Amino acid sequence: MAVRTPSSRIRRAVVPLALCAGLTAGLTACGADPDEGTNGVGKLSAPEIEQKAQSAADTAKAVRLSGTLVSKGGTFKLNMRLKQDGAAGSVTTKNSTFELLRIGDALYLKADADFWAHDDKAAEEPTEADTEAADKLDDMYVKVPQGDPSYKQFRGFTDMDVLLAGLIGLHGEKVKGDRDQIGGVRTIKVKGGAEGEGGTLDVALEGSPYPLQFARGGGAGVVVLSEWNKDFPLAEPSREETLDYGKQLPRT
């Protein structure tokens, strides 16, 4: 009978160890604890994880929200920094990009001349008068009157509570999904329905269990949530760069 030398036994032990090291991305391979070094949220049930994420979002004072939303009204690309008393950022639609700035109830809209000259409801081209008016508004902050029908719509893009409530809610039975990384932070997925048809939420496994990404069901867009609780300055635009259009904005 052959006698195994210590070196041969060492080589036999090294092989499975090497295989184990190659499987670390799976987290559970070779007895690794996937929750080691995390906030422990991954051990909870899917409804409990969603509740933790909602609670963390509800108590946050600021967030950056960026991504794409698809609705019957079209596709919107958002890049907004939000906090309880205001917001700043941009919204891109099929036809244009405009900036929004809100400080308290004061809401400002900034866009180029093409935005102001464009009229989806009009079949004819803008008149010379329309073009001249649009040129005056080009790259200026226009104060949106609170009585204007568009005020509520534009303000919705700047309201932290409204956006979060509408963007990170799951529908259907809550199911735990895979672990992932968003922005270098480990996450656990919670799905609405087995296939995520009611949305898929990525919740941070490091630090506070903030929602870091939400994929809306049916391919209706993906938004990334970052810079939680990071405050940012908001300042009224100067008189030189502001126009007050009175009680109603020009028709766009």
Side-chain angles (χ1 to χ4, degrees), residues 10-227:
I10 291 172
R11 285 196 298 273
R12 290 174 64 87
V14 165
V15 173
L17 285 173
L19 290 174
C20 181
L23 294 173
T24 53
L27 297 178
T28 57
C30 304
D33 181 1
D35 293 300
E36 184 178 356
T38 73
N39 54 24
V41 167
K43 297 179 180 179
L44 303 177
S45 67
E48 289 173 328
I49 296 171
E50 183 193 30
Q51 183 57 53
K52 287 283 188 181
Q54 291 280 6
S55 296
D58 288 344
T59 57
K61 296 180 179 179
V63 67
R64 179 187 286 275
L65 190 154
S66 59
T68 302
L69 303 176
V70 181
S71 68
K72 293 181 180 179
T75 300
F76 302 90
K77 291 183 179 180
L78 304 180
N79 185 9
M80 298 294 302
R81 295 195 71 180
L82 308 154
K83 56 183 178 179
Q84 294 299 329
D85 60 349
S90 64
V91 180
T92 300
T93 67
K94 178 181 178 181
N95 298 309
S96 59
T97 296
F98 55 90
E99 296 179 28
L100 292 170
L101 170 65
R102 182 174 65 83
I103 303 173
D105 291 327
L107 178 63
Y108 299 90
L109 172 66
K110 183 179 181 181
D112 61 19
D114 287 342
F115 172 88
W116 295 109
H118 183 76
D119 187 346
D120 287 326
K121 297 180 181 179
E124 67 274 7
E125 291 295 319
T127 65
E128 184 176 344
D130 291 334
T131 302
E132 289 180 359
D135 287 341
K136 293 179 180 179
L137 297 171
D138 181 44
D139 211 31
M140 297 288 286
Y141 282 100
V142 177
K143 190 170 185 179
V144 183
Q146 293 189 38
D148 190 275
S150 64
Y151 178 86
K152 184 176 181 181
Q153 178 186 2
F154 285 130
R155 182 180 173 126
F157 289 117
T158 71
D159 193 309
M160 180 174 170
D161 292 337
V162 170
L163 277 178
L164 291 181
L167 292 179
I168 62 174
L170 295 168
H171 301 283
E173 182 181 0
K174 311 304 185 295
V175 180
K176 286 176 73 170
D178 297 332
R179 290 160 189 267
D180 204 345
Q181 283 196 2
I182 304 295
V185 178
R186 286 182 289 173
T187 65
I188 180 75
K189 294 181 184 293
V190 181
K191 300 183 292 183
E195 302 301 323
E197 57 271 23
T200 300
L201 186 66
D202 272 86
V203 180
L205 288 174
E206 302 172 22
S208 297
Y210 289 122
L212 298 186
Q213 179 174 283
F214 184 69
R216 304 177 79 196
V222 177
V223 292
V224 174
L225 303 108
S226 61
E227 299 181 30

